[in-house]
Amino acid sequence: MAAVLRSGRCLFLSAPVPRGLRPPGCCSGAMQEPPPLTARPESPGPSAAPGAAADWLGALRFDNRALRSLPLDPSEENVPRQVPGACFSRVRPSPVQSPRLVAMSLPALALLGLESPAAGALEAEAALYFSGNRLLPGAEPAAHCYCGHQFGSFAGQLGDGAAMYLGEVLSPRGERWEIQLKGAGLTPFSRQADGRKVLRSSIREFLCSEAMFHLGIPTTRAGTCVTSDSKVVRDIFYDGNPKNERCTIVLRIASTFIRFGSFEIFKPTDEYTGRKGPSVNRNDIRTQMLNYVISTFYPEIQQAYSDNSVQRNAAFFREVTKRTARMVAEWQCVGFCHGVLNTDNMSIVGLTIDYGPFGFMDRYDPEHICNGSDNAGRYAYNKQPEICKWNLGKLAEALVPELPLEISELILREEYDAEFERHYLKKMRKKLGLIHLELEDDDKLVSELLETMHITGGDFTNTFRLLSSFLGDLDPLKLEDFLEKIATQCASMEDLKVAFRPQMDPRQLSMMLMLAQSNPQLFALIGTKANINKELERIEQFSKLQQLTAADLLSRNKRHWKEWLQKYRVRLEKEIESVSNADVWNAERVKIMNSNNPKYILRNYIAQNAIEAAENGDFTEVREVLKRLENPFEETEDLTEVQEDQEEEETVAAAATCAPVTSSRLPYSSKPPLWASELCVT
């Protein structure tokens, strides 16, 4: 993952960022070979968990149903290759030097029945086993085969190039959890890669997996993040100056990691890319996969339609459609952008899966793109609902002939949009404290709120959070006080100048415009009309900003918010009229709003600061951020929060005088500093 400056310079998110400047020179070198893996027995038994961890990790109960139910690759040759006729290939994790724990999520590990905190000796054992250096008793490492449509084109075989299924653990409550190691080394699906992940990307995945869960959004989980002294080479700047980075492994947990792309291994030759799935014409395996997925993860559907496979498969597709619609509705309500919504990154059980170039929106922009390499904006924030629907269409194609396309397409038309809109509006009503009445114009009120946020550059998370303190009072002094508060969450003049700074050389833009006029066909090959239009809009907006004073901007923002707040007040009055006690209603309203509008999200600058500290050997910030993300809705009143409030006041004062911010760390709930606008993962 890289942070991309708008000027075109590429920076990895883990690189020290001196507020937009490239850090000092990068080192180069070959990958360091880890020691031989002598500690792992060929047939791991109870003795594979010695020492203090024997009772802790040795208590895991494995029951690896997926490997019993789905075909295994007969070859155990662990080199990149096509894998026909199989869903899994057996692999072995590659050991790393001196594994050590960066952080662990006790709530995630508790899913497996690991209730004891991993302190002292247990922490060291956790690093040993969850790095892949030693196998857990009962684990059967394997890599999953799948295909996928990437950026709209069929890519052929993909598969677990850096992830390894360890097995399925039965919890004390009888739940089944698949556990994976991500970054544990080569698999047959690694292609030209090395099967490794590095510290910066692993920290981001670890933290965001847990952040999403505690926000109440369906997601895979992350149990541990383990780094090491083993190194891999990454060309951070894509400029021929590679750098050694630490191999890091994340323990991932989910009911299953099977995805839409798992069913695309049967795809015949694609008419556009010429690629095909490795198991084309193997409908027997497709049937086997459907039987396994439905009976294991949708048992109620299996039971209800056990005597009619087409009806069963239709009910399954309908449920996947609804879960996916609800999931993406939840994303939209917290401003989460996935970044790479390919079919191989879509969970068959409706979970957020594969955290790559994700991002939470700061300044609200419906066209926000969190992935710097998504030049066409295919996976922009406002396109996520439609893209997920498109991906469901590809899943429908992959289920033929077990589910006729005319049936699945009808389900998609009837169910997806309706389920998305229902869930989205239900969630938005809670975010606005509309808890007793459901009125037809509520969707219009939400749209007008988002438009106001867009015009004023409002911070998505903090604006929603602040609205719980709006009492609808007509007292001019109280209204002005609230307008002052909400104005602090709007984009500053400096923010807007960075956002709308032209990105193309004027001569290049002029040439592109001339080409569009003189040779439209050639222009279509080398550029897009949408990109040119965006650049022209940036130029226009930037020009307007040059004529605007800070006082003008403040006045304009207050005017826009006053107009919307008047509409919001009218809607709140209708709520009050429907209740018997206004004070009780308001207390309930504030409680519901504050439990649906997070105070803390994983902003890019927060992750960046944690990564920089970790790369310098200090994991304290990663663990502190994790603690805060585990309670995203809570108002904390400890010493740290008091210090953060003081820092926030200093930050606001510094911004007002255009002075540099000298505090070592902004509050976790703060709008991002100006330098953070230069960060974009790719």
Side-chain angles (χ1 to χ4, degrees), residues 159-181:
D160 286 335
M164 292 184 188
Y165 163 103
L166 290 184
E168 298 154 65
V169 172
L170 297 180
S171 75
R173 295 190 296 180
E175 297 167 329
R176 177 180 296 273
W177 297 103
E178 179 182 330
I179 60 175
Q180 281 191 349
L181 295 180

Side-chain angles (χ1 to χ4, degrees), residues 154-463:
F154 185 65
Q157 178 180 291
L158 299 169
D160 286 335
M164 292 184 188
Y165 163 103
L166 290 184
E168 298 154 65
V169 172
L170 297 180
S171 75
R173 295 190 296 180
E175 297 167 329
R176 177 180 296 273
W177 297 103
E178 179 182 330
I179 60 175
Q180 281 191 349
L181 295 180
K182 184 170 182 179
L186 283 169
T187 78
F189 311 105
S190 296
R191 290 170 287 173
Q192 288 80 39
D194 51 32
R196 291 298 191 188
K197 294 298 178 181
V198 295
L199 187 59
R200 53 194 159 70
S201 61
S202 299
I203 286 174
R204 283 173 56 83
E205 170 142 8
F206 173 80
L207 289 175
C208 198
S209 299
E210 292 306 282
M212 293 287 276
F213 170 76
H214 291 288
L215 286 171
I217 299 172
T219 178
T220 59
R221 304 291 300 276
T224 59
C225 179
V226 177
T227 194
S228 71
D229 287 339
S230 295
K231 304 290 180 65
V232 286
V233 175
R234 295 290 186 263
D235 188 350
I236 293 181
F237 299 103
Y238 302 105
D239 60 1
N241 294 300
K243 176 184 177 181
N244 283 319
E245 299 196 62
R246 296 185 182 279
C247 296
T248 307
I249 300 97
V250 174
L251 175 72
R252 305 202 300 181
I253 305 168
S255 56
T256 182
F257 286 87
I258 291 177
R259 52 205 68 206
F260 291 9
S262 302
F263 287 91
E264 292 191 282
I265 64 173
F266 316 107
K267 181 175 172 57
T269 302
D270 185 82
E271 62 179 313
Y272 301 107
T273 66
R275 300 187 180 100
K276 62 182 179 180
S279 296
V280 64
N281 298 324
R282 291 298 304 272
N283 194 56
D284 57 320
I285 301 178
R286 178 172 17 223
T287 303
Q288 203 171 344
M289 285 185 64
L290 273 169
N291 291 341
Y292 166 72
V293 168
I294 296 174
S295 63
T296 305
F297 308 110
Y298 298 90
E300 67 287 350
I301 291 176
Q302 178 66 36
Q303 185 175 5
Y305 301 99
S306 58
D307 58 346
N308 190 314
S309 63
V310 172
Q311 288 184 359
R312 181 201 66 169
N313 297 341
F316 158 70
F317 184 75
R318 179 178 288 106
E319 182 60 23
V320 175
T321 296
K322 288 185 174 182
R323 290 190 188 189
T324 302
R326 292 193 294 267
M327 174 189 71
V328 72
E330 291 281 349
W331 294 352
Q332 302 302 100
C333 288
V334 296
F336 174 77
C337 303
H338 186 283
V340 195
L341 281 175
N342 301 325
T343 57
D344 54 293
N345 292 333
M346 299 288 296
S347 164
I348 203 67
V349 290
L351 304 176
T352 312
I353 189 172
D354 285 356
Y355 291 93
F358 67 84
F360 286 87
M361 267 197 307
D362 296 314
R363 176 180 61 87
Y364 177 71
D365 175 7
E367 297 182 350
H368 175 71
I369 302 168
C370 70
N371 180 355
S373 59
D374 184 8
N375 297 321
R378 177 179 175 83
Y379 299 138
Y381 167 79
N382 61 350
K383 293 182 181 176
Q384 289 186 138
E386 192 60 31
I387 285 295
C388 286
K389 184 178 182 180
W390 188 90
N391 289 339
L392 282 161
K394 293 303 171 186
L395 174 62
E397 293 174 9
L399 296 179
V400 177
E402 293 303 297
L403 179 62
L405 200 56
E406 58 268 22
I407 296 177
S408 55
E409 288 181 339
L410 179 62
I411 291 171
L412 195 54
R413 286 196 302 271
E414 290 181 343
E415 301 287 357
Y416 182 84
D417 292 338
E419 186 70 10
F420 171 82
E421 291 164 7
R422 184 196 65 79
H423 195 82
Y424 177 80
L425 189 54
K426 178 182 178 181
K427 184 75 174 181
M428 279 295 184
R429 284 192 176 107
K430 290 180 179 178
K431 289 173 73 70
L432 290 177
L434 310 179
I435 56 181
H436 287 292
L437 301 177
E438 295 183 1
L439 304 182
E440 287 186 7
D441 285 346
D442 287 348
D443 58 343
K444 182 180 178 183
L445 183 69
V446 171
S447 297
E448 290 174 340
L449 166 62
L450 296 178
E451 179 62 23
T452 304
M453 269 196 219
H454 189 204
I455 293 171
T456 63
D459 185 89
F460 187 84
T461 300
N462 290 354
T463 299

Side-chain angles (χ1 to χ4, degrees), residues 14 17 22 50 61 64 100 146 167 225 246 288 312 335 348 466 508 515 589 621:
S14 63
V17 182
R22 174 179 170 172
R61 296 168 51 218
N64 307 328
R100 54 194 175 278
Y146 52 82
C225 179
R246 296 185 182 279
Q288 203 171 344
R312 181 201 66 169
I348 203 67
L466 186 59
Q508 179 188 6
L515 183 63
R589 176 185 76 96
E621 184 67 7

